[in-house]
Every structure is written in structure tokens, then in C-alpha cells.
Amino acid sequence: MRGHELRYDRAHGARIYDYILGGKDHYPLDREAGDAALEGWPSLRTSMRANRAFMHRVSRYLATERGVTQFLDVGTGIPTSPNLHEVVQEVRPEARVVYVDNDPIVLAHARALLTSTPDGATAYIHADLREPEEIIESEELRETLDLSKPIGFTLIAMLHFIEDEDEAHRVVRQMLEILPSGSYFALSTATADFAPEGMRNVQREYRARGEAMNLRKKSRVERFFDGLELVEPGVVQVHKWHPDALREMRVADEDVAMYGGLARLL
């Protein structure tokens, strides 16, 4: 199994994300990487916040508008309230959520992800997306979710950490294969389309510290949804996906470097 050993000798994407968003679960090398990335592109914090808000909106949309009560969130990251189960159980108390991450720090804080309503359930799997069999074959997945009924599969800010395009498509396909018809797939991933110089600076700082950063154009992001039914407005910058008018109206396009989309499995 990859990624299950707590390492202090290098920065980690989830902990950099936590640091930039004002969290407390990170180490000096993560802070150093975060500061360097922010120096290279000061809008990175705005972009990360927009991405977090996208996760909230897409999960709430699935629970309220599409009636989804089962969720699989891969690449959960360090728990920061409100987490996905808190969002969906607010409207669907019976919702069941399985979280997946490979960072031991997330494992150490997994109790924060297991605060389900009495009517619902949450579970945590310590596994790596690059080895989807770990997730697919886990007891936690099959004991928590009914794989014969629709599931909302969320992959938020994860795929840009997989450099190889073939590998990224392989793991997505393997995960989608276990989901029944009527399920939904939500994705967000980094791009340099709107702030090319700034995001190249961020990419350089991440790579210098051993962390991958694949910046995809819109057409490459759309390929992950091939064969699925995209929900309007399709693949867009995350702050433009079913925006909250009071919040997203103040976000400039050039300050958001993430594409997002949602699609239904036919």
C-alpha cells in the first residue's frame, strides 16, 4: 500500500491545502511550500476557497435536487467543517458517506469524519486512489453503501496530483465501473487556462518539493466525463457551477484555477 507512512521530510498536497485555507494540521515543510506557492500566485487561496465551496454546492445539489443519499468521497483531505456528510445530512439525515484518503494525518483526524446523524452513517477508508482495488474491495465500502443503488462519487481537487494521463483515466474508469446506473460523478481539477503565469509558478513550487501538479485544459477535463451525461452547465470554472449569487459574484475569473463538473452515469 502506498502513502500510509506519516512523512515529515516532504510537503503534502492535502496539508498545503489545509495551511493555505487557515487550518492547523500541517508541518514546517507544508507551510514553506504554501508560502512559496502564494508568493508565486497570491490568488491561490481564493481559488482553493472556491473549490471548497464547489464541493459544498455539488453535494448539496445531489442531495436536494437529485435525491442522492449515498456518497463516496475520494481524496477527502484534512477534515474542515462543514464536511460533505454535514452538508448532505442537513437535508438528508439518512445519507451514508464513505470517505477515502491516503494521508496518515487524515486518518489521525478521521473521527471528525464519523460524526453522522443517528439515521445515517459515515465510514473512512485509508487507501490510495492510484490503487482503486483497495477502495473497491474494502469492507467499509460494502458495509456502508448499497452498490445496487445510486451513489454520488466525488473526486475533488485530486486528479491534478496524478501526472500520468493514462493512469488518471484508468483509476477514474475503475471507480466508475462499480457504480450503478443513475449514479453521479463530480470532479474538480487544476488548470492554467485563466492564470497561466501564476499557476505555472504554483506548479513549479509543488514539483520542487516532490508533489505532482498536472494542469489540464478544459478539453482534457471533459474527457473524464466521456460516456456520461453532463449536468448543466457542463465543465466550467468551479465558481460558475450553480453559483451562490451572494458569494460567487465577487470572485474574478482570473482568481480561480479549477475546473469542475458533474455528470450522471447512464
Side-chain angles (χ1 to χ4, degrees):
M1 271 180 211
R2 300 186 206 173
H4 291 209
E5 180 184 351
L6 184 57
R7 296 186 60 177
Y8 303 91
D9 61 339
R10 54 170 288 184
H12 187 284
R15 300 194 298 264
I16 298 170
Y17 187 76
D18 177 73
Y19 169 64
I20 291 176
L21 290 182
K24 299 177 181 179
D25 297 299
H26 41 73
Y27 296 106
L29 289 176
D30 305 308
R31 295 191 286 274
E32 177 187 307
D35 289 339
L38 284 168
E39 184 176 349
W41 188 47
S43 295
L44 181 60
R45 180 174 284 116
T46 298
S47 187
M48 287 182 171
R49 286 174 175 165
N51 179 71
R52 183 77 178 171
F54 168 75
M55 184 275 284
H56 292 155
R57 293 197 311 279
V58 77
S59 56
R60 186 178 295 111
Y61 172 87
L62 287 174
T64 58
E65 303 296 326
R66 300 298 174 114
V68 177
T69 59
Q70 300 191 110
F71 294 83
L72 174 60
D73 181 51
V74 179
T76 298
I78 295 166
T80 303
S81 187
N83 292 294
L84 189 150
H85 74 279
E86 296 171 295
V87 173
V88 300
Q89 288 182 346
E90 184 177 351
V91 293
R92 299 275 181 181
E94 74 278 19
R96 306 175 74 83
V97 179
V98 172
Y99 292 108
V100 182
D101 205 288
N102 74 331
D103 185 350
I105 277 201
V106 182
L107 175 63
H109 292 274
R111 283 192 297 271
L113 300 170
L114 303 177
T115 55
S116 172
T117 61
D119 296 330
T122 59
Y124 180 78
I125 303 171
H126 193 54
D128 195 318
L129 174 63
R130 294 176 181 85
E131 298 173 357
E133 297 82 4
E134 292 185 19
I135 303 168
I136 295 167
E137 298 171 3
S138 70
E139 291 183 8
E140 293 89 347
L141 176 68
R142 297 178 182 275
E143 289 177 356
T144 308
L145 305 183
D146 182 345
L147 298 183
S148 69
K149 296 179 180 179
I151 293 169
F153 169 40
T154 56
L155 198 57
I156 306 299
M158 268 295 294
L159 281 180
H160 48 252
F161 294 124
I162 300 180
E163 290 274 15
D164 184 85
E165 203 73 359
D166 289 338
E167 182 180 22
H169 281 275
R170 173 185 64 81
V171 298
V172 168
R173 284 195 305 272
Q174 283 187 250
M175 294 300 303
L176 292 178
E177 283 173 359
I178 70 167
L179 304 181
S181 176
S183 293
Y184 288 86
F185 171 43
L187 163 71
S188 71
T189 193
T191 182
D193 284 358
F194 304 95
E197 182 178 355
M199 280 305 291
R200 295 299 177 193
N201 291 339
V202 171
Q203 181 186 55
R204 183 180 63 251
E205 296 299 339
Y206 270 63
R207 286 179 170 174
R209 292 161 175 81
E211 190 66 88
M213 177 65 69
N214 187 336
L215 303 175
R216 294 180 171 91
K217 291 193 168 293
K218 183 178 181 181
S219 60
R220 290 172 60 202
V221 179
E222 289 173 330
R223 283 188 53 215
F224 288 102
F225 295 105
D226 285 352
L228 309 180
E229 181 182 77
L230 272 168
V231 174
E232 290 296 333
V235 173
V236 293
Q237 282 176 284
V238 288
H239 67 298
K240 294 182 177 181
W241 195 92
H242 293 243
D244 179 331
L246 295 178
R247 296 178 183 179
E248 274 70 34
M249 65 183 297
R250 295 189 291 269
V251 178
D253 291 355
E254 60 268 25
D255 290 338
V256 178
M258 299 288 291
Y259 278 123
L262 173 70
R264 181 176 179 271
L265 278 67
L266 302 174

